[in-house]
Amino acid sequence: MPTAQKVRSTANLFWSLTIDLLIALVGVWIVAGVKAGVGELDERCAHGIVGPGGRHEVERTAYPPNVTCVYPSGETISSAGVLVFVWWTCVVLVVVCALTAFALEFVGLSRRGFDSRFPALAVVFPSLLANLYVLVLLATVVPTLVNPTRCGLGTRSSGDEANLRYEPFPQQVTCDYGHGFPMALVPQWVAALEWALLLATAISLAGVLAQRRARVSARGPGM
Protein backbone atom coordinates (compact mmCIF):
# COMPACT_ATOMS: atom_id res chain seq x y z
CA MET A 1 0.00 0.00 0.00
CA PRO A 2 1.48 3.41 -0.98
CA THR A 3 2.54 5.60 1.90
CA ALA A 4 1.14 9.08 2.56
CA GLN A 5 4.35 10.64 1.26
CA LYS A 6 4.18 8.60 -1.97
CA VAL A 7 0.55 9.59 -2.58
CA ARG A 8 1.40 13.22 -1.84
CA SER A 9 4.29 13.31 -4.32
CA THR A 10 2.24 11.61 -7.03
CA ALA A 11 -0.66 14.02 -6.51
CA ASN A 12 1.74 16.96 -6.68
CA LEU A 13 3.08 15.62 -9.97
CA PHE A 14 -0.40 15.56 -11.50
CA TRP A 15 -1.20 19.03 -10.15
CA SER A 16 2.00 20.30 -11.80
CA LEU A 17 1.10 18.60 -15.06
CA THR A 18 -2.36 20.16 -14.90
CA ILE A 19 -0.91 23.64 -14.47
CA ASP A 20 1.66 23.14 -17.25
CA LEU A 21 -1.01 21.88 -19.64
CA LEU A 22 -3.29 24.82 -18.78
CA ILE A 23 -0.45 27.20 -19.65
CA ALA A 24 0.07 25.33 -22.93
CA LEU A 25 -3.68 25.49 -23.58
CA VAL A 26 -3.72 29.26 -23.14
CA GLY A 27 -0.72 29.56 -25.43
CA VAL A 28 -2.40 27.51 -28.16
CA TRP A 29 -5.58 29.58 -27.78
CA ILE A 30 -3.64 32.84 -28.17
CA VAL A 31 -1.69 31.62 -31.22
CA ALA A 32 -4.86 30.28 -32.86
CA GLY A 33 -6.66 33.56 -32.13
CA VAL A 34 -3.87 35.60 -33.69
CA LYS A 35 -3.83 33.37 -36.78
CA ALA A 36 -7.61 33.61 -37.13
CA GLY A 37 -7.60 37.41 -36.75
CA VAL A 38 -4.50 38.37 -38.67
CA GLY A 39 -4.66 35.69 -41.38
CA GLU A 40 -8.02 36.91 -42.78
CA LEU A 41 -8.64 33.45 -44.20
CA ASP A 42 -12.26 34.27 -45.05
CA GLU A 43 -11.14 37.13 -47.30
CA ARG A 44 -8.43 35.03 -48.93
CA CYS A 45 -10.94 32.27 -49.66
CA ALA A 46 -13.42 34.79 -51.08
CA HIS A 47 -10.84 36.14 -53.52
CA GLY A 48 -9.58 32.70 -54.50
CA ILE A 49 -6.10 33.31 -53.06
CA VAL A 50 -6.32 29.97 -51.26
CA GLY A 51 -8.47 26.94 -51.99
CA PRO A 52 -10.11 25.88 -55.25
CA GLY A 53 -12.16 29.09 -55.42
CA GLY A 54 -15.86 29.45 -56.14
CA ARG A 55 -18.78 28.97 -53.81
CA HIS A 56 -17.94 28.07 -50.23
CA GLU A 57 -19.09 28.52 -46.64
CA VAL A 58 -17.13 30.07 -43.79
CA GLU A 59 -17.37 28.45 -40.37
CA ARG A 60 -16.05 30.01 -37.16
CA THR A 61 -15.40 28.27 -33.87
CA ALA A 62 -14.17 29.51 -30.49
CA TYR A 63 -12.47 26.31 -29.23
CA PRO A 64 -9.86 27.06 -30.39
CA PRO A 65 -10.40 30.30 -32.37
CA ASN A 66 -10.59 29.02 -35.94
CA VAL A 67 -11.87 30.10 -39.34
CA THR A 68 -12.62 27.31 -41.82
CA CYS A 69 -13.52 27.59 -45.49
CA VAL A 70 -15.71 24.65 -46.55
CA TYR A 71 -16.16 23.91 -50.26
CA PRO A 72 -18.92 21.79 -51.88
CA SER A 73 -16.31 19.19 -52.87
CA GLY A 74 -15.62 18.56 -49.18
CA GLU A 75 -12.27 20.32 -49.16
CA THR A 76 -11.65 22.47 -46.11
CA ILE A 77 -9.03 25.09 -45.30
CA SER A 78 -8.48 25.98 -41.65
CA SER A 79 -6.70 28.95 -40.13
CA ALA A 80 -5.73 26.97 -37.02
CA GLY A 81 -4.70 23.81 -38.84
CA VAL A 82 -2.91 21.34 -36.56
CA LEU A 83 -3.54 23.63 -33.57
CA VAL A 84 -7.10 22.24 -33.41
CA PHE A 85 -5.68 18.78 -32.69
CA VAL A 86 -3.15 20.19 -30.21
CA TRP A 87 -5.89 22.17 -28.44
CA TRP A 88 -8.24 19.22 -27.89
CA THR A 89 -5.34 16.97 -26.92
CA CYS A 90 -4.40 19.48 -24.21
CA VAL A 91 -8.03 19.71 -23.08
CA VAL A 92 -8.29 15.93 -22.66
CA LEU A 93 -4.95 15.76 -20.83
CA VAL A 94 -5.92 18.63 -18.50
CA VAL A 95 -9.16 16.87 -17.55
CA VAL A 96 -7.41 13.52 -17.03
CA CYS A 97 -4.58 15.01 -14.95
CA ALA A 98 -6.89 17.17 -12.83
CA LEU A 99 -9.30 14.32 -12.10
CA THR A 100 -6.36 12.02 -11.28
CA ALA A 101 -4.95 14.64 -8.90
CA PHE A 102 -8.34 15.00 -7.20
CA ALA A 103 -8.66 11.21 -6.94
CA LEU A 104 -5.23 10.95 -5.31
CA GLU A 105 -6.24 13.64 -2.81
CA PHE A 106 -9.20 11.46 -1.82
CA VAL A 107 -7.00 8.36 -1.64
CA GLY A 108 -4.57 10.19 0.61
CA LEU A 109 -7.28 10.88 3.18
CA SER A 110 -7.07 7.24 4.24
CA ARG A 111 -3.32 7.54 4.89
CA ARG A 112 -2.12 8.67 8.31
CA GLY A 113 -0.07 11.88 8.10
CA PHE A 114 -1.29 12.84 4.64
CA ASP A 115 -1.11 16.58 3.93
CA SER A 116 -4.40 17.22 2.11
CA ARG A 117 -4.76 20.12 -0.32
CA PHE A 118 -8.56 20.19 -0.08
CA PRO A 119 -8.81 23.08 2.43
CA ALA A 120 -6.66 25.29 0.17
CA LEU A 121 -8.45 24.19 -3.01
CA ALA A 122 -11.83 24.90 -1.39
CA VAL A 123 -10.68 28.51 -1.06
CA VAL A 124 -8.82 28.94 -4.36
CA PHE A 125 -11.48 27.71 -6.78
CA PRO A 126 -14.43 29.70 -5.33
CA SER A 127 -12.18 32.78 -5.23
CA LEU A 128 -11.30 32.37 -8.92
CA LEU A 129 -14.97 31.93 -9.79
CA ALA A 130 -15.93 35.03 -7.80
CA ASN A 131 -13.17 37.09 -9.44
CA LEU A 132 -14.32 35.94 -12.88
CA TYR A 133 -17.87 37.01 -12.02
CA VAL A 134 -16.67 40.45 -10.97
CA LEU A 135 -14.55 40.88 -14.11
CA VAL A 136 -17.49 40.04 -16.35
CA LEU A 137 -19.70 42.56 -14.55
CA LEU A 138 -17.01 45.26 -14.70
CA ALA A 139 -16.44 44.68 -18.41
CA THR A 140 -20.09 44.46 -19.50
CA VAL A 141 -22.71 45.76 -17.09
CA VAL A 142 -20.88 48.62 -15.32
CA PRO A 143 -19.74 50.50 -18.49
CA THR A 144 -23.29 50.36 -19.85
CA LEU A 145 -24.74 51.67 -16.58
CA VAL A 146 -22.25 54.56 -16.69
CA ASN A 147 -23.04 55.32 -20.34
CA PRO A 148 -26.39 53.79 -21.45
CA THR A 149 -25.58 54.44 -25.13
CA ARG A 150 -22.75 51.88 -25.24
CA CYS A 151 -22.64 48.11 -24.86
CA GLY A 152 -19.96 47.10 -22.40
CA LEU A 153 -16.27 47.86 -22.30
CA GLY A 154 -14.53 48.52 -25.62
CA THR A 155 -17.61 49.57 -27.62
CA ARG A 156 -18.48 52.98 -28.94
CA SER A 157 -21.57 54.98 -28.16
CA SER A 158 -24.34 54.40 -30.68
CA GLY A 159 -26.53 57.32 -29.69
CA ASP A 160 -29.36 54.94 -28.76
CA GLU A 161 -29.96 53.63 -25.27
CA ALA A 162 -28.72 50.07 -24.81
CA ASN A 163 -30.87 47.41 -23.15
CA LEU A 164 -29.05 44.65 -21.28
CA ARG A 165 -30.25 41.13 -20.54
CA TYR A 166 -28.22 39.36 -17.87
CA GLU A 167 -28.05 35.58 -17.36
CA PRO A 168 -26.42 34.69 -14.01
CA PHE A 169 -24.96 31.24 -14.78
CA PRO A 170 -23.13 30.70 -16.91
CA GLN A 171 -22.78 34.44 -17.20
CA GLN A 172 -23.98 36.02 -20.40
CA VAL A 173 -24.84 39.64 -21.07
CA THR A 174 -26.81 40.40 -24.21
CA CYS A 175 -27.01 43.96 -25.46
CA ASP A 176 -29.74 45.31 -27.74
CA TYR A 177 -30.01 48.85 -29.06
CA GLY A 178 -33.54 48.20 -30.25
CA HIS A 179 -32.57 47.61 -33.87
CA GLY A 180 -30.51 44.97 -35.59
CA PHE A 181 -29.32 41.80 -33.90
CA PRO A 182 -28.64 41.52 -30.14
CA MET A 183 -24.94 41.34 -29.29
CA ALA A 184 -23.53 38.78 -26.82
CA LEU A 185 -20.84 40.51 -24.77
CA VAL A 186 -19.38 37.50 -22.93
CA PRO A 187 -17.15 35.10 -24.93
CA GLN A 188 -18.07 31.41 -25.01
CA TRP A 189 -14.90 30.38 -23.19
CA VAL A 190 -16.07 32.24 -20.07
CA ALA A 191 -19.04 29.87 -19.73
CA ALA A 192 -16.78 26.83 -20.05
CA LEU A 193 -14.38 28.25 -17.46
CA GLU A 194 -17.21 29.00 -15.02
CA TRP A 195 -18.54 25.45 -15.30
CA ALA A 196 -15.03 24.04 -14.76
CA LEU A 197 -14.45 26.23 -11.68
CA LEU A 198 -17.87 25.31 -10.27
CA LEU A 199 -17.12 21.59 -10.68
CA ALA A 200 -13.67 22.01 -9.09
CA THR A 201 -15.27 23.91 -6.20
CA ALA A 202 -17.84 21.16 -5.63
CA ILE A 203 -15.15 18.45 -5.64
CA SER A 204 -12.97 20.48 -3.26
CA LEU A 205 -15.82 21.02 -0.80
CA ALA A 206 -16.65 17.31 -0.94
CA GLY A 207 -13.00 16.64 -0.19
CA VAL A 208 -13.09 18.93 2.85
CA LEU A 209 -16.12 17.06 4.21
CA ALA A 210 -14.44 13.71 3.55
CA GLN A 211 -11.30 14.92 5.34
CA ARG A 212 -13.30 15.92 8.42
CA ARG A 213 -15.06 12.54 8.48
CA ALA A 214 -11.70 10.76 8.18
CA ARG A 215 -10.33 12.72 11.13
CA VAL A 216 -13.38 11.92 13.26
CA SER A 217 -13.09 8.24 12.38
CA ALA A 218 -9.39 8.24 13.21
CA ARG A 219 -10.05 9.67 16.67
CA GLY A 220 -12.44 6.88 17.45
CA PRO A 221 -15.90 6.98 19.08
CA GLY A 222 -14.56 7.52 22.55
CA MET A 223 -12.52 10.59 21.78
Side-chain angles (χ1 to χ4, degrees):
M1 180 180 294
T3 63
Q5 184 178 1
K6 180 64 175 179
V7 176
R8 176 74 275 154
S9 61
T10 306
N12 288 343
L13 173 62
F14 278 97
W15 284 125
S16 298
L17 289 174
T18 301
I19 295 173
D20 292 341
L21 287 167
L22 282 173
I23 294 174
L25 197 64
V26 172
V28 172
W29 190 86
I30 293 174
V31 173
V34 171
K35 292 186 66 175
V38 177
E40 297 183 341
L41 183 62
D42 52 346
E43 294 292 333
R44 295 163 62 197
C45 291
H47 291 88
I49 300 176
V50 295
R55 186 171 63 87
H56 65 282
E57 295 182 357
V58 177
E59 298 178 352
R60 291 178 171 83
T61 58
Y63 305 112
N66 186 31
V67 178
T68 305
C69 298
V70 183
Y71 294 90
S73 62
E75 181 177 351
T76 60
I77 300 177
S78 169
S79 64
V82 70
L83 290 179
V84 175
F85 173 77
V86 175
W87 165 271
W88 287 111
T89 300
C90 287
V91 168
V92 172
L93 291 176
V94 165
V95 172
V96 171
C97 289
L99 291 179
T100 302
F102 272 122
L104 288 169
E105 294 289 342
F106 278 104
V107 171
L109 295 179
S110 61
R111 306 293 191 272
R112 184 178 298 274
F114 180 74
D115 180 22
S116 176
R117 296 283 189 269
F118 280 126
L121 296 175
V123 174
V124 171
F125 288 122
S127 298
L128 291 175
L129 183 58
N131 288 331
L132 182 59
Y133 252 71
V134 172
L135 287 175
V136 170
L137 293 175
L138 290 177
T140 57
V141 176
V142 173
T144 308
L145 294 177
V146 174
N147 183 358
T149 64
R150 62 183 295 182
C151 274
L153 188 66
T155 60
R156 298 180 179 178
S157 176
S158 67
D160 298 324
E161 185 171 347
N163 297 314
L164 294 181
R165 185 172 69 253
Y166 179 72
E167 299 176 13
F169 195 89
Q171 280 181 299
Q172 182 55 266
V173 181
T174 305
C175 181
D176 188 1
Y177 286 117
H179 55 78
F181 296 98
M183 178 171 55
L185 303 181
V186 183
Q188 295 178 2
W189 62 265
V190 173
L193 183 56
E194 288 181 347
W195 277 113
L197 290 174
L198 180 63
L199 177 60
T201 298
I203 296 175
S204 299
L205 292 175
V208 171
L209 294 177
Q211 181 179 2
R212 291 179 179 177
R213 291 178 180 176
R215 288 178 177 177
V216 171
S217 300
R219 292 172 182 171
M223 299 180 65

